[in-house]
Amino acid sequence: MTATLDTTLSLAGALNRALADALAEDERVLIFGEDVGTLGGVFRVTDGLAARFGDTRVFDSPLAESGIVGTAIGMAMNGLRPVIEMQFDAFAYPAFEQITSHLAKLRNRTKGQVELPVVIRVPYGGGIGGVEHHCDSSEVYYTHTAGLRVVTPATPDDAYTLLREAIDSPDPVIFLEPKRRYWEKGTVDPQRRSPGLDKAVIRREGTDVTLISYGGALGTTLEAAEAAAEEGYSAEVIDLRSLAPFDLETVAASVRRTGRAVVVHEASRFCGYGAEVAAQLSEHCFHYLEAPVLRVAGFDIPYPAPNLEQHHLPGVDRILDAIERLQWDDAAPLDGEK
Amino acid sequence: MTTTERTAASYFLPSDEPLGLVTADGTPTPDPALAMPADDVLLRLYRGMVSGRRFDTQATALTKQGRLAVYPSARGQEAAEIGSILALRPQDWLFPTYRDSMAVVARGVDPVEVLTLLRGDWHCGYDPYRANVAPQCTPLATNTLHAVGFAHAARVKGEDTVSLVLVGDGATSEGDTHEALNFAAVWKAPVVFLVQNNGYAISVPLEKQTAAPSLAYKGVGYGMPSVLVDGNDAAAVHAVVEQAVARAAAGEGPTLIEAVTYRMESHTNADDATRYREKAEVEQWLTRDPISRLKQYLTDRGLLDDKAQQEIDARAEEEAAALRERMNVDTELDPADLFRHVYAEPTAALRQQAAELAHENTEDQA
């Protein structure tokens, strides 16, 4: 479409626009959760939607996460497409049983007879100075669960597109919204569709090392790539977008070109998402690798108090340090020499 | 009594004693608030209970023959299971638990498909949309929320559909029950919650489950009418469920019903109930059997004679024989099915894993 349709929006604004467009285009879509109606959500992602679409389409529910997910399952069984909100990452844990035992499995349990096109929006991750239980990176609880799709946008344009595609998906989608990027502005083209709900994209091209990241950590990773360039390393940056399924094809193709890889995320390292990426790369790219796949992640601690979070979240320096550790041969032979 | 004549408290509070229409010895006990079902309905209830019990004993026998991995018997709960199902209209939905196979069969689902779960072939063997029956739920109380969501969606879509959700006494301690009661009441969702209080959650007796005067009190705090009924009295269960369904369909919101009954068998065939309950208690409940009670009442009324009884028994026997025969056929399962219904389309990783398994199986055969 023409560029005149492009609009500059924050990531939160892009999500709001995506919800509004989905509500307008499909009467089966409805939005509910705590504070999503009159208040418009604590991050204002649902701002104005109840006023525009009425309180049958957009409404406040009682405060109970299992109740929100469990009733959404029943609504989806009866032909609706609920988009529900867990107010913060760690507040979703009471709904864990409904998500893992039912939302993820009902298609499978019924041999495909029950389809659950439910989207659960979860503001996740840190970097906003939130108090305890407001900053968890809970992605692997969901990615480990077969039957769920888990996606996370890192740009306003992708926020719009991924959310529209998530709502259209016949599978349940955990839609992780990186809180610290909510206010990040960018150009949004509502006509654009992504290469697919399960595809990664290359955000920056490079030849020496592949940096793999997503969500909240992507901005820091791109900054680190710029800084690495000044030190002579050409870094390619991949935004995974979809954590489940994992786009091995795009990631492996890049790593085969560069021979080196660093996975960057803010969740704890142990059994974190980076462990899966590193394992897949060692299985599929071993003979192309010049160095072990490294992980730059948060520490293996409960999410720290806000005044300490800057030490926990991976910053540019930690990523640059990892790049330095990738077994570069300082005494590299001159071009043409063996 | 109409709702406007009641004070808020009297409206919501359940009775101290369970409501009933027929006593344990078959004597009618008319209740002005509860209409005795019509004769043809009573006969259908009776036939349904006889068939239900025969199904239950057949399923138990199939566990002994190794045809079923496990079976949770509902023997003794026929009045609650059949009484409630026959009060549903065709367009209504049932949200059952693992113990409610008898109810699912009574709703019209093929009994072999119902037993697919317990045979171990697949988690749900029937299409929920064919008889309006959600998959039998194994985790406790999670089905309560599905029922509320389903019912709410029906209202949003302008459909006249009521959800009936079955749970046991143990499930009333689970958080989901409380969230579901609250959501349903706030949304005025057309839902009927039927708690089959059969005395034990596996081995834990009711007095260790709740301090409330009855489980029917669980509805009071959420703002819905709550009814305590004799769960071994099929006529009474049918009458209260029918009232609750009509109330829900009229847009007046949910009702909670506690049906007081008893699980005559162990939790499942793998359980040993003698470890936690006295024989005398079980025998005492035998005198309140739901089937002999209605039989006595129907006989006294001249609605059931020996000939009719023989026909009913013969039909139940035929159904059991057909089930036995069909369950004795070895099923063939396709390992590729493992990967088919995880997502709408298998992911690249699942396609790869399906190929690995196929290769593994080919090598095994070679």
Side-chain angles (χ1 to χ4, degrees):
Chain A
M1 291 302 287
T2 56
T4 51
L5 283 172
D6 291 358
T7 329
T8 299
L9 290 171
S10 66
L11 192 146
L15 295 171
N16 180 270
R17 173 77 188 269
L19 292 170
D21 290 354
L23 284 162
E25 286 174 27
D26 186 347
E27 62 175 17
R28 297 170 301 171
V29 174
L30 81 171
I31 292 171
F32 69 102
E34 199 212 347
D35 299 314
V36 301
T38 310
L39 180 68
V42 292
F43 292 104
R44 304 294 180 269
V45 171
T46 54
D47 193 25
L49 298 179
R52 182 173 158 198
F53 294 97
D55 61 6
T56 303
R57 305 284 307 282
V58 183
F59 55 98
D60 291 322
S61 73
L63 200 179
E65 287 75 13
S66 187
I68 293 166
V69 176
T71 54
I73 289 170
M75 291 180 204
M77 281 181 76
N78 200 357
L80 299 182
R81 301 181 88 88
V83 183
I84 55 177
E85 179 179 296
M86 301 283 105
Q87 201 158 70
F88 284 92
D89 33 57
F91 294 179
Y93 301 151
F96 196 68
E97 183 187 20
Q98 286 289 352
I99 295 171
T100 55
S101 293
H102 300 293
L103 185 66
K105 290 181 181 170
L106 264 165
R107 172 190 292 281
N108 186 254
R109 281 158 64 195
T110 60
K111 277 203 170 175
Q113 305 290 348
V114 174
E115 190 161 272
L116 296 179
V118 175
V119 176
I120 305 184
R121 294 181 36 246
V122 188
Y124 85 118
I128 61 159
V131 295
E132 58 170 357
H133 308 302
H134 287 70
C135 293
D136 280 23
S137 289
S138 43
E139 57 266 41
V140 292
Y141 298 129
Y142 305 116
T143 56
H144 188 65
T145 303
L148 300 176
R149 287 176 175 273
V150 183
V151 301
T152 176
T155 67
D157 196 27
D158 234 19
Y160 179 90
T161 306
L162 271 183
L163 186 50
R164 291 301 305 274
E165 290 171 351
I167 294 169
D168 288 344
S169 170
D171 298 314
V173 181
I174 308 294
F175 193 88
L176 299 171
E177 300 172 1
K179 284 181 219 100
R180 62 168 144 153
R181 301 186 69 84
Y182 267 144
W183 302 280
E184 198 84 24
K185 289 206 166 157
T187 307
V188 174
D189 173 6
Q191 304 297 329
R192 185 184 74 90
R193 286 298 172 264
S194 78
L197 191 57
D198 49 6
K199 288 283 178 224
V201 298
I202 295 170
R203 294 283 178 206
R204 182 189 196 280
E205 293 191 346
T207 53
D208 298 337
V209 55
T210 302
L211 306 180
I212 301 148
S213 190
Y214 56 86
L218 184 76
T220 316
T221 306
L222 284 165
E223 279 175 48
E226 291 300 320
E230 288 168 22
E231 295 181 20
Y233 302 108
S234 165
E236 182 144 296
V237 176
I238 294 184
D239 174 3
L240 286 179
R241 303 167 76 251
S242 174
L243 305 184
F246 168 61
D247 181 4
L248 174 65
E249 200 183 347
T250 301
V251 177
S254 170
V255 173
R256 284 172 186 154
R257 283 195 302 273
T258 63
R260 289 176 169 85
V262 178
V263 196
V264 183
H265 59 64
E266 64 181 82
S268 300
R269 182 163 57 186
F270 184 76
C271 286
Y273 197 79
E276 178 63 31
V277 176
Q280 296 246 11
L281 291 177
S282 76
E283 283 179 32
H284 296 280
C285 305
F286 184 78
H287 294 291
Y288 297 84
L289 287 171
E290 307 278 347
V293 179
L294 296 185
R295 289 170 290 162
V296 174
F299 298 119
D300 297 336
I301 56 170
Y303 196 86
N307 293 341
L308 287 167
E309 73 175 352
Q310 78 275 18
H311 301 293
H312 169 70
L313 295 171
V316 169
D317 287 347
R318 209 183 291 169
I319 301 168
L320 288 176
D321 283 351
I323 294 171
E324 292 287 356
R325 283 191 283 125
L326 283 172
Q327 299 181 10
W328 304 100
D329 188 355
D330 287 327
L334 296 170
D335 282 351
E337 283 186 10
K338 287 277 177 187
Chain B
M1 201 185 284
T2 66
T3 56
T4 48
E5 290 170 314
R6 299 187 181 199
T7 64
S10 70
Y11 181 48
F12 290 126
L13 282 176
S15 55
D16 287 335
E17 291 300 318
L19 301 179
L21 289 170
V22 178
T23 63
D25 63 5
T27 312
T29 53
D31 184 322
L34 222 51
M36 178 67 87
D39 293 350
D40 66 313
V41 174
L42 291 170
L43 279 167
R44 280 203 294 134
L45 286 170
Y46 182 68
R47 279 198 299 270
M49 289 198 293
V50 172
S51 283
R53 177 163 296 180
R54 189 63 192 87
F55 165 83
D56 196 80
T57 52
Q58 184 57 60
T60 301
L62 287 167
T63 63
K64 291 173 183 151
Q65 294 157 19
R67 284 286 172 188
L68 284 187
V70 66
Y71 180 71
S73 170
R75 186 185 179 90
Q77 299 180 214
E78 291 85 355
E81 299 261 318
I82 307 297
S84 59
I85 292 310
L86 295 193
L88 292 182
R89 306 164 303 166
Q91 73 268 34
D92 296 331
W93 267 70
L94 170 67
F95 289 79
T97 75
Y98 57 86
R99 195 178 300 289
D100 304 314
S101 299
M102 193 192 287
V104 177
V105 173
R107 181 73 183 154
V109 179
D110 180 340
V112 172
E113 292 183 1
V114 175
L115 294 177
T116 299
L117 165 76
L118 300 163
R119 183 165 61 188
D121 285 354
W122 203 264
H123 300 307
C124 175
Y126 54 86
D127 176 356
Y129 294 98
R130 214 181 300 145
N132 294 2
V133 181
Q136 285 177 275
C137 196
T138 308
L140 295 193
T142 50
N143 56 332
T144 57
L145 287 164
H146 305 166
V148 175
F150 196 98
H152 180 77
R155 276 185 87 199
V156 167
K157 293 160 72 184
E159 292 167 356
D160 176 19
T161 306
V162 172
S163 293
L164 169 70
V165 55
L166 300 179
V167 288
D169 37 305
T172 65
S173 297
E174 293 277 5
D176 275 0
T177 296
H178 298 271
E179 297 190 15
L181 291 170
N182 191 45
F183 274 61
V186 171
W187 290 350
K188 275 201 160 190
V191 185
V192 179
F193 297 93
L194 179 69
V195 179
Q196 293 187 67
N197 170 11
N198 67 12
Y200 293 87
I202 303 189
S203 68
V204 179
L206 188 69
E207 64 267 22
K208 289 187 181 172
Q209 199 67 248
T210 181
S214 72
L215 294 176
Y217 273 77
K218 303 282 177 187
V220 177
Y222 298 105
M224 70 180 71
S226 305
V227 183
L228 182 64
V229 66
D230 184 335
N232 283 18
D233 181 344
V237 171
H238 186 274
V240 296
V241 173
E242 197 170 51
Q243 270 187 359
V245 168
R247 195 176 164 274
E252 292 173 40
T255 304
L256 173 72
I257 301 165
E258 175 190 356
V260 183
T261 181
Y262 197 75
R263 189 188 75 214
M264 297 306 296
E265 303 292 335
S266 295
H267 166 64
T268 69
N269 54 301
D271 169 42
D272 176 9
T274 63
R275 291 172 73 106
Y276 52 82
R277 64 189 194 186
E278 298 293 330
K279 200 177 167 197
E281 180 185 287
V282 182
E283 283 169 355
Q284 193 261 325
W285 275 93
L286 274 174
T287 66
R288 300 162 74 171
D289 184 77
I291 296 181
S292 51
R293 172 188 313 208
L294 191 56
K295 181 179 180 176
Q296 189 62 51
Y297 174 77
L298 292 172
T299 309
D300 292 348
R301 292 252 341 261
L303 295 168
L304 184 73
D305 57 18
D306 286 349
K307 186 166 170 286
Q309 179 68 49
Q310 278 163 16
E311 280 168 17
I312 289 167
D313 288 343
R315 197 167 87 171
E317 204 51 49
E318 271 169 37
E319 289 163 355
L323 173 60
R324 194 165 55 236
E325 195 180 324
R326 292 173 64 207
M327 289 297 288
N328 275 326
V329 176
D330 288 321
T331 52
E332 208 165 309
L333 300 174
D334 182 0
D337 271 353
L338 287 176
F339 307 98
R340 282 198 181 113
H341 309 290
V342 185
Y343 298 93
E345 297 290 333
T347 61
L350 286 181
R351 288 197 301 273
Q352 173 65 32
Q353 288 167 24
E356 283 169 23
L357 181 67
H359 178 67
E360 196 179 302
N361 289 340
T362 314
E363 294 220 314
D364 283 350
Q365 283 161 16

